[in-house]
Amino acid sequence: MMDLILFGVFPYVAVALAVSVGLYRYFVERYSWSSQSSQFLENRMQFWGGVPWHYAIILILLAHLLAFLLPGAWGQLLGKPVRLYLLELTGLALGVCALISLVLMMYRRAGDARVATVTSTVDWLLLASLVLQVATGVYIAFTLRWGSSWYVYTATPWLWSLVRFDPQVQYLAVTPAVVKIHAVNAFVLISLFPFSRLVHVVSIPLSYLSRPYQVVIWYRQRGRTM
Ligand code: HEM
């Protein structure tokens, strides 16, 4: 019963919440649809945390997506041991990099009074959930060998069964607890999406490509502060 709720019902609740609240926020509170950058408050740690984090997590999510969308090609890619080792090693390095940069970003939020002031409870919830997601991912990669390979026989059919509105929870029910936590927490992250600054993930500023350019004119004289 618990498996059905966690892997067969909760994913739909999370996606429904993300879409409905996300759309509401987009149309009603458009100006809040942002990462609400704190870069102008503190730049150095933001650079060393934020830049590696984005490169690492985007590549890791791309690998998750490829194994989900093209399981056949993914299986062939990993068919040769050398390619499997290389991919697992790269994944592990990226996972550790993502984890370290995430911890750095949390340290920055807690340690810098200016940044702490603009950090809400939802921001902390989101960061905690991200740490759990990345830490469990790295733990799986480290302890349950060849996850990139068995993902195709567990996560991929489970995710496709959700897409077909015919949840087959048995694919996840047989996996170790840490995999279950990793999978459910992915949907916790999706449910947090519309309530947090994570919305910036789907805000691609395409209109910038076609909008008229802006001319910025300084009225103050050079050298004067006011
Ligand atoms: C928000 C979505 C997700 C994020 C941010 C995420 C993040 C991560 C990270 C950081 C790793 C470690 C990569 C490595 O060190 O190799 C990982 C590994 C893994 N993830 Fe996820 N994940 C997500 C969703 C999922 C879902 C829905 C599943 C399905 C059960 C899943 C299954 C796995 C598996 C099996 C591994 C181990 C891969 C390996 O051993 O190479 N992930 N994930």
Side-chain angles (χ1 to χ4, degrees):
M1 187 63 185
M2 201 57 184
D3 286 340
L4 185 66
I5 294 173
L6 290 178
F7 312 126
V9 178
F10 177 60
Y12 292 111
V13 176
V15 172
L17 209 61
V19 173
S20 56
V21 182
L23 284 175
Y24 173 83
R25 185 169 161 191
Y26 184 77
F27 287 110
V28 179
E29 288 178 51
R30 179 73 63 91
Y31 281 107
S32 75
W33 194 276
S34 144
S35 69
Q36 288 160 29
S37 172
S38 57
Q39 193 178 4
F40 64 97
L41 294 175
E42 194 287 328
N43 191 16
R44 209 166 65 91
M45 271 218 265
Q46 158 79 6
F47 176 81
W48 290 109
V51 175
W53 159 256
H54 281 91
Y55 279 117
I57 204 68
I58 285 171
L59 287 173
I60 288 169
L61 285 177
L62 195 67
H64 280 65
L65 195 69
L66 282 177
F68 163 63
L69 290 178
L70 306 166
W74 186 258
Q76 279 196 341
L77 178 74
L78 302 182
K80 284 241 160 68
V82 64
R83 292 200 290 246
L84 177 66
Y85 299 155
L86 265 179
L87 197 113
E88 286 275 339
L89 259 179
T90 313
L92 204 54
L94 288 171
V96 171
C97 172
L99 193 57
I100 293 173
S101 42
L102 192 54
V103 170
L104 196 66
M105 288 196 291
M106 286 181 88
Y107 175 75
R108 168 181 177 267
R109 286 210 168 259
D112 189 305
R114 295 160 303 175
V115 186
T117 314
V118 296
T119 304
S120 68
T121 310
V122 180
D123 291 335
W124 282 115
L125 258 177
L126 179 70
L127 283 167
S129 187
L130 280 172
V131 167
L132 180 66
Q133 191 64 10
V134 178
T136 49
V138 172
Y139 184 81
I140 296 168
F142 209 69
T143 57
L144 303 171
R145 210 163 285 171
W146 321 132
S148 52
S149 194
W150 53 255
Y151 178 101
V152 172
Y153 304 100
T154 49
T156 301
W158 169 59
L159 290 168
W160 276 114
S161 78
L162 291 178
V163 174
R164 287 193 308 269
F165 293 104
D166 175 25
Q168 302 287 321
V169 298
Q170 71 274 16
Y171 287 109
L172 263 252
V174 294
T175 58
V178 65
V179 180
K180 292 179 179 171
I181 295 172
H182 188 75
V184 170
N185 192 56
F187 287 94
V188 171
L189 277 169
I190 290 176
S191 67
L192 282 177
F193 156 87
F195 302 101
S196 65
R197 34 181 103 208
L198 203 59
V199 287
H200 78 278
V201 167
V202 290
S203 63
I204 306 166
L206 287 178
S207 58
Y208 276 43
L209 296 174
S210 60
R211 73 167 194 188
Y213 61 85
Q214 285 176 310
V215 179
V216 178
I217 298 172
W218 291 102
Y219 281 105
R220 66 177 165 81
Q221 288 171 7
R222 278 182 189 278
R224 287 179 56 186
T225 50
M226 288 291 286

